[in-house]
């Protein structure tokens, strides 16, 4: 009882302070009430790699912040910062690692320069789709490996969104064979960029906000981004009408929420559970949103803007697959932890593929043929 009294007193003092000093809408009567019971309200910053209010990805991060704030009754409020507002997009990892912000939202393949194994938790070319990734992460040992890796950087990772299969990208000229890729400059991050380099493309990594201008000015000849929903919002169809599929390089990209380890461990158990549960709910919610919005946006792009969706030629896909195997082998040879993660990833994928072939794969083929 004594400890509880102390906590109550501290909570009242902190809530009083926050009500006068803070204009957060979440510092409501509800948070004041819970503050009296459960200690001082905590205010976290979430830095993101996304442009402000960006559909799907940026709004997913915003939804996550809102859910945590609401589910905690205002005991843990989260304020979202777009890429560049507090730190540049590609400094999110370092900012959360050192505690400049308690939380970050991005994609682990942006951090391959920090840890060669990082991209395996987001997107692997010709790798697993969203359904298979969730199986590996939550029930196949993937999360244990991801926590082990990010723990070295003072971070706790959570899956927090999935784009589903992306598009191969927008090209300013037709791609009819492998020869047409030679010398192209393409914005394509992560392992996809490394693979593209092996087939004659010069890969460039640019944050989302810089893509339109770079493609328009001719600084790049091609770009991948996400899929119809996001690409329509960026207006990439105003520069070229050629969008190629499939997203061989991002077959089900996992977005991430990373939390500063000390900040996470300082939370009471129920708030830790709220953070984890809200991340899992956003992981599901974002995929549902993309499933609904991408097909609407594709219709708009085709019918209103004259965009052509074309398949990548077979020889291009075959060359990309060979180059993917070489790239993955190279990463495994360069870093023991990456080798360990890749082995676990590929072992799960092999088994998942065998089952997907007779379940989702067979069903989709049957439905299309019916
Ligand atoms: Ca992408």
């Amino acid at each position: 009882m004594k400890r509880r009294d102390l906590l109550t007193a501290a909570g009242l003092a902190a809530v009083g302070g926050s009500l006068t000093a803070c204009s957060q809408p979440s510092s409501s009567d509800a948070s004041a009430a819970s503050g009296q019971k459960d200690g001082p309200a905590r205010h976290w910053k979430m830095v993101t790699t996304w442009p402000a209010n960006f559909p799907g990805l940026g709004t997913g991060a915003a939804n996550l912040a809102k859910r945590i704030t609401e589910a905690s009754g205002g005991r843990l409020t989260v304020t979202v910062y777009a890429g560049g507002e507090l730190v540049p997009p590609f400094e999110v990892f370092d900012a959360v690692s050192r505690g400049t912000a308690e939380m970050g939202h991005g994609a682990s393949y942006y951090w391959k320069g920090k840890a060669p194994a990082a991209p395996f938790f987001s997107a692997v070319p010709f790798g697993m789709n969203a359904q298979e990734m969730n199986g590996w992460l939550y029930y196949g040992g993937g999360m244990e490996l991801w926590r082990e890796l990010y723990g070295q950087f003072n971070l706790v990772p959570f899956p927090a969104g999935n784009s589903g299969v992306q598009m191969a990208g927008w090209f300013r000229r037709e791609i009819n064979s492998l020869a047409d890729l030679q010398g192209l400059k393409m914005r394509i991050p992560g392992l996809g960029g490394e693979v593209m380099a092996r087939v004659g493309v010069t890969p460039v990594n640019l944050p989302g906000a810089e893509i339109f201008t770079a493609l328009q000015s001719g600084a790049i000849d091609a770009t991948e981004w996400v899929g119809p929903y996001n690409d329509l919002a960026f207006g990439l169809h105003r520069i070229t009408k050629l969008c190629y599929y499939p997203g061989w390089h991002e077959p089900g990209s996992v977005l991430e929420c990373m939390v500063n380890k000390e900040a996470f461990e300082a939370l009471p158990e129920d708030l830790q559970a709220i953070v984890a549960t809200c991340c899992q709910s956003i992981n599901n919610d974002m995929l549902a949103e993309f499933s609904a919005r991408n097909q609407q946006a594709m219709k708009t792009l085709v019918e209103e803007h004259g965009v052509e969706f074309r398949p990548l030629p077979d020889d291009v896909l075959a060359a990309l697959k060979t180059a993917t195997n070489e790239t993955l082998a190279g990463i495994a040879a360069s870093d023991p932890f990456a080798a360990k993660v890749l082995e676990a990833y590929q072992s799960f994928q092999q088994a998942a593929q065998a089952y997907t072939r007779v379940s989702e794969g067979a069903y989709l083929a049957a439905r299309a043929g019916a």
Side-chain angles (χ1 to χ4, degrees):
M1 283 306 288
K2 197 170 180 186
R3 179 174 151 76
R4 177 175 289 254
D5 291 341
L6 279 172
L7 285 172
T8 304
L12 282 169
V15 167
S18 75
L19 283 174
T20 50
C22 182
S23 61
Q24 298 254 1
S26 48
S27 290
S28 58
D29 291 344
S31 73
S34 60
Q36 286 170 17
K37 196 175 71 170
D38 303 307
R42 294 164 168 84
H43 304 291
W44 278 14
K45 295 187 273 291
M46 181 202 283
V47 290
T48 73
T49 55
W50 319 118
N53 298 317
F54 196 68
L57 307 173
T59 54
N63 288 341
L64 173 59
K66 189 164 174 274
R67 282 187 190 188
I68 292 173
T69 302
E70 288 176 354
S72 69
R75 289 164 57 217
L76 176 57
T77 70
V78 182
T79 304
V80 181
Y81 296 87
E85 278 185 352
L86 199 62
V87 298
F90 292 155
E91 285 177 26
V92 163
F93 188 92
D94 286 340
V96 181
S97 176
R98 68 174 175 257
T100 303
E102 292 84 359
M103 189 174 251
H105 194 271
S108 69
Y109 59 54
Y110 288 136
W111 323 123
K112 69 184 168 117
K114 308 273 177 200
F120 298 141
F121 302 104
S122 182
V124 174
F126 299 101
M128 291 190 271
N129 67 14
Q131 195 169 333
E132 293 162 344
M133 275 304 280
N134 282 334
W136 180 55
L137 290 172
Y138 293 125
Y139 286 95
M143 279 315 302
E144 286 78 0
L145 291 167
W146 197 358
R147 284 190 204 109
E148 188 180 343
L149 179 68
Y150 272 35
Q152 296 166 24
F153 298 92
N154 200 36
L155 295 168
V156 183
F158 298 93
N162 197 303
S163 65
V165 181
Q166 300 197 0
M167 291 286 112
W170 298 77
F171 291 76
R172 287 172 60 117
R173 61 174 196 246
E174 291 185 3
I175 303 300
N176 295 315
S177 75
L178 192 54
D180 293 326
L181 287 181
Q182 303 312 302
L184 279 191
K185 261 199 238 168
M186 179 172 188
R187 182 271 177 191
I188 175 165
L191 299 179
E194 289 185 41
V195 172
M196 273 294 196
R198 287 176 184 266
V199 300
V201 170
T202 304
V204 180
N205 194 8
L206 292 174
E210 295 172 28
I211 292 176
F212 182 90
T213 308
L215 189 64
Q216 191 178 42
S217 71
I220 54 174
D221 307 299
T223 184
E224 71 81 56
W225 179 224
V226 183
Y229 177 39
N230 292 94
D231 299 2
L232 175 64
F234 263 9
L236 298 176
H237 59 279
R238 304 211 304 268
I239 304 170
T240 172
K241 302 297 181 193
L242 293 170
C243 183
Y244 283 84
Y245 63 85
W248 58 276
H249 63 305
E250 297 202 53
S253 299
V254 176
L255 288 310
E256 67 182 357
C257 173
M258 58 180 100
V259 182
N260 177 275
K261 202 156 179 267
E262 281 103 35
F264 188 73
E265 285 171 358
L267 292 178
E269 275 182 18
D270 64 331
L271 288 183
Q272 288 183 350
I274 283 171
V275 168
T277 304
C278 289
C279 284
Q280 192 157 0
S281 83
I282 285 297
N283 198 38
N284 180 51
D285 186 73
M286 193 185 289
L287 184 61
E289 186 184 6
F290 274 120
S291 299
R293 309 272 188 239
N294 271 330
Q295 41 124 331
Q296 294 164 350
M298 185 171 86
K299 199 162 180 283
T300 303
L301 286 168
V302 171
E303 292 178 3
E304 294 177 25
H305 301 293
V307 169
E308 281 186 59
F309 284 83
R310 294 189 186 182
L312 281 176
D314 289 344
D315 70 329
V316 169
L317 287 173
L320 290 170
K321 207 178 234 181
T322 303
T324 292
N325 293 335
E326 292 165 4
T327 302
L328 296 178
I331 294 168
S334 74
D335 182 75
F337 193 80
K340 179 173 149 182
V341 178
L342 183 63
E343 193 188 347
Y345 183 103
Q346 290 185 320
S347 151
F348 192 92
Q349 181 180 341
Q350 204 174 12
Q353 257 182 240
Y355 182 66
T356 298
R357 194 175 300 121
V358 301
S359 54
E360 308 297 322
Y363 170 69
L364 292 177
R367 189 172 67 178

